[in-house]
Amino acid sequence: MKAIIYRDNGGPDVLQLVERDGPTPAPGEVRVRVAVSGVNPTDWQARSGVAHRKLFSEITPHLDGAGVIDAVGDGVDPSRVGQRVWLFMAAAGRPTGTAAEFTVVPADQAVPLPDEASFDVGASLGVPALTAHRALTVAEDGPRRLHPGVLDGKVVLAAGGAGAVGHAVIQLARWAGATVIGTVSGPQKAKLAIAAGAHHVINYREGDPAAAIRAIAPDGVDIVAEVALGANLALDLAVLRTRGTIATYANQGGHAVELNVGQNMVLNTRLQFLVLYTAGPQARAAAVEDVAVAIRDGALPVGEEHGLPLHRFPLHRTADAHRAVETGAVGKVLVDVTP
């Protein structure tokens, strides 16, 4: 099979296209013929060594993807062969990511993908959708599971609503019944956030964004899904309701985070940091189940018309796909692996 590998941490040029024997699924695993591989910031961070040190002598990158199961290991229902699936955390603590024609994963990390959902949708789930689910289910006064109606009456602020996680936050929050506000940096990203389903979009670079958000939500925002905590914390606190939650999954821009303890005490702020790797198996399993239902409901479409432009690269240009993500491509970067 063809596979992308790297042996040393570094820039995109460490990625190589090689020929390897196809993997054999171990007990409890499935082998998937990968159709589309999704690229996330965590993929290039792992490759570069920013996220964590390299654990294996040779690694095939990428956590997310979609394809068809073509073999199963002992203990896995053989009827799963031929099943369309989406994959998550394929390369988490393992050397076998989705940037290859075949990969092996634990069976529960290959989730059935409905026939009406494309492989592009499947490869765009994983990290963004499961992170978005986590952000929407950590509030003190909020639900631990998502389904239609469970966020009725709640207001969700999706910071960076045109990013992959922000896009999934908008879609899942709207599916669950919330009023959704997206903050963006310009008119093109505003169009994308609206296409994703945001009820309101605020350009945080213009006017008084806190006043604009308070005009929509006079009692304040229930949940902020935050991508740039250091840059946006003052705005978040200005619009957060008492006992509201700021769920932060990144700190784009790297601004220092300084907390006014008294202000947060009075608000009873819940500041929740999150990452999938350490969220725990119960939280991840709940997210997978709920996201699977949302997919069946057609709540997570992708493409520019749905607010998430797709940027495609063939397998041999995976290094260019990584460069696109590193340089801030707006939308979702996908690698086409097999027809």
Side-chain angles (χ1 to χ4, degrees), residues 276-326:
L276 286 181
Y277 306 106
T278 54
Q282 290 183 329
R284 285 195 299 269
V288 169
E289 290 178 10
D290 294 349
V291 167
V293 174
I295 297 165
R296 291 198 295 272
D297 285 352
L300 293 164
V302 299
E304 188 161 6
E305 68 275 23
H306 301 296
L308 191 72
L310 303 179
H311 307 277
R312 317 192 74 94
F313 295 85
L315 185 63
H316 71 273
R317 290 185 57 202
T318 297
D320 290 331
H322 278 226
R323 291 186 184 96
V325 176
E326 288 187 58

Coordinates of all heavy atoms in Angstrom, one line a residue, residues 276-326:
L276 N -9.3 16.2 23.5 CA -9.9 14.9 23.4 C -9.1 13.8 24.1 O -9.7 12.9 24.7 CB -10.1 14.5 22.0 CG -11.2 15.3 21.2 CD1 -11.3 14.7 19.8 CD2 -12.6 15.1 21.9
Y277 N -7.8 13.9 24.0 CA -7.0 12.8 24.5 C -7.2 12.5 26.0 O -7.2 11.3 26.4 CB -5.5 13.2 24.3 CG -5.1 13.5 22.9 CD1 -4.8 14.9 22.6 CD2 -5.0 12.6 21.9 CE1 -4.5 15.2 21.3 CE2 -4.7 12.9 20.6 CZ -4.4 14.2 20.3 OH -4.1 14.6 19.0
T278 N -7.4 13.5 26.8 CA -7.6 13.3 28.2 C -9.0 13.6 28.7 O -9.2 13.7 29.9 CB -6.6 14.3 28.9 OG1 -6.8 15.6 28.5 CG2 -5.1 13.8 28.7
A279 N -9.9 13.7 27.8 CA -11.3 14.0 28.2 C -11.9 12.8 28.9 O -12.9 12.9 29.6 CB -12.2 14.3 27.0
G280 N -11.4 11.6 28.7 CA -11.9 10.4 29.3 C -12.8 9.6 28.4 O -13.5 10.1 27.6
P281 N -12.8 8.3 28.6 CA -13.5 7.4 27.6 C -15.0 7.6 27.7 O -15.7 7.5 26.7 CB -13.1 6.0 28.1 CG -12.6 6.1 29.5 CD -12.0 7.5 29.6
Q282 N -15.6 7.9 28.8 CA -17.0 8.1 28.9 C -17.5 9.3 28.1 O -18.4 9.3 27.4 CB -17.5 8.2 30.4 CG -17.4 6.9 31.1 CD -17.9 7.0 32.6 OE1 -17.8 8.1 33.2 NE2 -18.5 5.9 33.1
A283 N -16.7 10.4 28.3 CA -17.1 11.7 27.6 C -16.9 11.5 26.1 O -17.7 11.9 25.3 CB -16.2 12.8 28.0
R284 N -15.8 10.8 25.7 CA -15.6 10.5 24.2 C -16.7 9.6 23.7 O -17.2 9.9 22.6 CB -14.2 9.9 24.0 CG -13.1 10.9 24.1 CD -11.8 10.4 23.5 NE -11.4 9.2 24.1 CZ -10.5 9.2 25.1 NH1 -10.0 10.3 25.6 NH2 -10.1 8.0 25.7
A285 N -17.1 8.6 24.4 CA -18.1 7.7 23.9 C -19.4 8.4 23.8 O -20.2 8.2 22.8 CB -18.2 6.5 24.9
A286 N -19.8 9.2 24.7 CA -21.0 10.0 24.6 C -21.0 10.9 23.4 O -22.0 11.0 22.7 CB -21.2 10.8 25.9
A287 N -19.9 11.6 23.2 CA -19.7 12.5 22.0 C -19.9 11.7 20.7 O -20.6 12.2 19.8 CB -18.4 13.2 22.1
V288 N -19.3 10.5 20.6 CA -19.4 9.7 19.4 C -20.8 9.3 19.2 O -21.3 9.5 18.0 CB -18.5 8.5 19.5 CG1 -18.8 7.5 18.4 CG2 -17.0 8.9 19.5
E289 N -21.5 8.9 20.2 CA -22.9 8.5 20.0 C -23.8 9.7 19.6 O -24.6 9.5 18.7 CB -23.5 7.9 21.3 CG -22.9 6.6 21.7 CD -23.4 6.1 23.1 OE1 -24.4 6.7 23.6 OE2 -22.9 5.1 23.6
D290 N -23.6 10.8 20.2 CA -24.4 12.0 19.8 C -24.1 12.5 18.5 O -25.0 12.9 17.7 CB -24.3 13.1 20.9 CG -24.8 12.7 22.3 OD1 -25.5 11.6 22.4 OD2 -24.5 13.4 23.2
V291 N -22.8 12.6 18.1 CA -22.4 13.0 16.8 C -23.0 12.1 15.7 O -23.4 12.5 14.7 CB -20.9 13.2 16.7 CG1 -20.4 13.3 15.2 CG2 -20.4 14.3 17.5
A292 N -23.0 10.8 16.0 CA -23.5 9.8 15.0 C -25.0 10.1 14.8 O -25.5 10.0 13.6 CB -23.3 8.4 15.6
V293 N -25.8 10.4 15.8 CA -27.2 10.8 15.6 C -27.3 12.0 14.8 O -28.2 12.1 13.9 CB -27.9 10.9 17.0 CG1 -29.3 11.4 16.8 CG2 -27.9 9.6 17.8
A294 N -26.5 13.0 15.1 CA -26.5 14.3 14.4 C -26.2 14.1 12.9 O -26.9 14.7 12.0 CB -25.5 15.3 15.0
I295 N -25.3 13.2 12.6 CA -25.0 12.8 11.2 C -26.3 12.3 10.5 O -26.6 12.6 9.4 CB -23.8 11.9 11.1 CG1 -22.6 12.5 11.6 CG2 -23.6 11.4 9.6 CD1 -21.5 11.5 11.9
R296 N -26.9 11.3 11.2 CA -28.1 10.7 10.6 C -29.2 11.7 10.4 O -30.0 11.6 9.5 CB -28.6 9.6 11.5 CG -27.7 8.4 11.6 CD -28.4 7.1 12.1 NE -28.8 7.3 13.5 CZ -28.0 7.0 14.6 NH1 -26.8 6.5 14.4 NH2 -28.4 7.1 15.8
D297 N -29.2 12.8 11.3 CA -30.2 13.8 11.1 C -29.8 14.8 10.0 O -30.5 15.8 9.8 CB -30.4 14.6 12.4 CG -31.2 13.8 13.4 OD1 -31.8 12.7 13.0 OD2 -31.4 14.2 14.6
G298 N -28.6 14.7 9.4 CA -28.2 15.6 8.4 C -27.7 16.9 9.0 O -27.7 17.9 8.2
A299 N -27.3 17.0 10.2 CA -27.0 18.2 10.9 C -25.5 18.7 10.7 O -25.2 19.8 11.2 CB -27.3 18.1 12.4
L300 N -24.7 17.9 10.1 CA -23.3 18.2 10.0 C -22.7 18.2 8.6 O -21.7 17.6 8.3 CB -22.5 17.2 10.9 CG -22.7 17.3 12.4 CD1 -22.2 16.1 13.1 CD2 -22.0 18.6 12.9
P301 N -23.4 18.9 7.7 CA -22.9 18.9 6.3 C -21.6 19.7 6.2 O -21.4 20.6 7.0 CB -24.0 19.5 5.5 CG -24.7 20.4 6.5 CD -24.6 19.6 7.8
V302 N -20.9 19.5 5.1 CA -19.6 20.3 4.9 C -19.7 20.8 3.4 O -20.5 20.5 2.6 CB -18.4 19.4 5.1 CG1 -18.3 18.9 6.5 CG2 -18.3 18.3 4.1
G303 N -18.7 21.7 3.1 CA -18.6 22.3 1.8 C -18.9 23.8 2.0 O -19.5 24.2 3.0
E304 N -18.5 24.6 1.1 CA -18.6 26.1 1.3 C -20.1 26.5 1.4 O -20.4 27.4 2.2 CB -18.0 26.8 0.0 CG -18.0 28.3 0.2 CD -17.0 29.0 -0.7 OE1 -16.4 28.3 -1.6 OE2 -16.8 30.2 -0.6
E305 N -21.0 25.8 0.8 CA -22.4 26.2 0.9 C -22.9 25.9 2.3 O -24.0 26.4 2.7 CB -23.2 25.4 -0.2 CG -23.4 23.9 0.0 CD -22.2 23.1 -0.5 OE1 -21.1 23.7 -0.7 OE2 -22.4 21.9 -0.8
H306 N -22.2 25.1 3.1 CA -22.6 24.8 4.4 C -21.6 25.5 5.4 O -21.6 25.1 6.6 CB -22.6 23.3 4.7 CG -23.6 22.6 3.8 ND1 -25.0 22.8 3.8 CD2 -23.4 21.7 2.8 CE1 -25.6 22.0 2.9 NE2 -24.6 21.4 2.3
G307 N -20.8 26.4 5.0 CA -20.0 27.1 5.9 C -18.6 26.6 6.1 O -17.8 27.1 6.9
L308 N -18.2 25.5 5.4 CA -16.9 24.9 5.6 C -16.3 24.5 4.3 O -16.5 23.4 3.8 CB -17.0 23.6 6.5 CG -15.6 23.1 7.0 CD1 -15.1 24.0 8.1 CD2 -15.8 21.7 7.6
P309 N -15.6 25.5 3.7 CA -14.9 25.2 2.4 C -14.0 24.0 2.5 O -13.3 23.8 3.6 CB -14.2 26.5 2.0 CG -14.9 27.5 2.9 CD -15.3 26.8 4.1
L310 N -13.9 23.2 1.5 CA -13.0 22.0 1.5 C -11.8 22.3 0.6 O -11.9 22.8 -0.5 CB -13.7 20.8 1.0 CG -15.0 20.4 1.7 CD1 -15.6 19.2 1.1 CD2 -14.6 20.2 3.2
H311 N -10.6 22.0 1.1 CA -9.3 22.2 0.4 C -8.7 20.8 0.2 O -8.4 20.1 1.2 CB -8.4 23.1 1.1 CG -9.0 24.4 1.5 ND1 -9.0 25.5 0.7 CD2 -9.6 24.8 2.7 CE1 -9.6 26.5 1.3 NE2 -9.9 26.1 2.5
R312 N -8.6 20.3 -1.0 CA -8.3 18.9 -1.3 C -6.8 18.8 -1.8 O -6.4 19.6 -2.6 CB -9.2 18.3 -2.4 CG -10.7 18.6 -2.2 CD -11.5 17.8 -3.1 NE -11.6 16.4 -2.5 CZ -12.5 16.0 -1.7 NH1 -13.5 16.8 -1.4 NH2 -12.5 14.8 -1.2
F313 N -6.2 17.7 -1.4 CA -4.8 17.4 -1.9 C -4.8 15.9 -2.1 O -5.4 15.1 -1.3 CB -3.8 17.8 -0.8 CG -3.7 19.3 -0.6 CD1 -4.6 19.9 0.4 CD2 -2.8 20.1 -1.2 CE1 -4.5 21.3 0.6 CE2 -2.7 21.4 -1.0 CZ -3.6 22.0 -0.1
P314 N -4.0 15.5 -3.1 CA -3.8 14.0 -3.3 C -2.8 13.5 -2.2 O -2.1 14.3 -1.6 CB -3.2 13.9 -4.7 CG -2.6 15.2 -4.9 CD -3.4 16.3 -4.2
L315 N -2.8 12.2 -2.0 CA -1.9 11.7 -1.0 C -0.5 12.1 -1.1 O 0.2 12.4 -0.1 CB -2.0 10.1 -1.0 CG -1.3 9.4 0.1 CD1 -1.9 9.8 1.5 CD2 -1.4 7.9 -0.1
H316 N 0.1 12.2 -2.3 CA 1.5 12.5 -2.5 C 1.8 13.9 -2.2 O 3.0 14.3 -2.0 CB 2.0 12.1 -3.9 CG 1.5 13.0 -5.0 ND1 0.3 12.8 -5.6 CD2 2.0 14.2 -5.5 CE1 0.1 13.7 -6.5 NE2 1.1 14.6 -6.5
R317 N 0.7 14.8 -2.0 CA 0.9 16.2 -1.6 C 0.5 16.4 -0.2 O 0.1 17.5 0.2 CB 0.2 17.1 -2.6 CG 0.8 17.1 -4.0 CD 0.0 18.2 -4.8 NE 0.1 19.5 -4.2 CZ -0.8 20.5 -4.5 NH1 -1.8 20.2 -5.3 NH2 -0.7 21.6 -3.9
T318 N 0.6 15.4 0.7 CA 0.2 15.6 2.1 C 1.0 16.7 2.7 O 0.5 17.4 3.6 CB 0.4 14.3 2.8 OG1 -0.5 13.3 2.3 CG2 0.1 14.4 4.3
A319 N 2.3 16.9 2.4 CA 3.1 18.0 2.9 C 2.4 19.3 2.6 O 2.4 20.2 3.5 CB 4.5 17.9 2.4
D320 N 1.9 19.5 1.4 CA 1.2 20.7 1.1 C -0.1 20.9 1.9 O -0.4 22.0 2.3 CB 0.9 20.8 -0.4 CG 2.1 20.9 -1.3 OD1 3.1 21.5 -0.8 OD2 2.1 20.4 -2.4
A321 N -0.7 19.8 2.2 CA -1.9 19.8 3.0 C -1.6 20.3 4.4 O -2.3 21.1 5.0 CB -2.6 18.4 3.1
H322 N -0.5 19.8 5.0 CA 0.0 20.3 6.3 C 0.3 21.8 6.2 O 0.0 22.5 7.2 CB 1.2 19.5 6.7 CG 0.9 18.2 7.4 ND1 1.4 17.8 8.5 CD2 0.0 17.2 7.0 CE1 0.9 16.6 8.9 NE2 0.1 16.2 7.9
R323 N 1.0 22.2 5.1 CA 1.3 23.7 5.0 C 0.0 24.5 5.0 O 0.0 25.6 5.6 CB 2.1 23.9 3.8 CG 3.5 23.3 3.8 CD 4.4 23.7 2.6 NE 5.7 23.1 2.6 CZ 5.9 21.9 2.0 NH1 5.0 21.3 1.2 NH2 7.1 21.4 2.1
A324 N -1.0 24.0 4.3 CA -2.2 24.8 4.3 C -2.8 24.9 5.6 O -3.3 26.0 6.0 CB -3.2 24.0 3.3
V325 N -2.8 23.9 6.5 CA -3.4 24.0 7.8 C -2.5 24.9 8.7 O -3.0 25.8 9.4 CB -3.5 22.6 8.5 CG1 -4.0 22.7 9.9 CG2 -4.5 21.7 7.7
E326 N -1.2 24.8 8.6 CA -0.3 25.6 9.4 C -0.4 27.1 9.0 O -0.2 27.9 9.9 CB 1.1 25.2 9.2 CG 1.5 23.8 9.8 CD 3.0 23.5 9.7 OE1 3.8 24.3 10.2 OE2 3.3 22.4 9.1

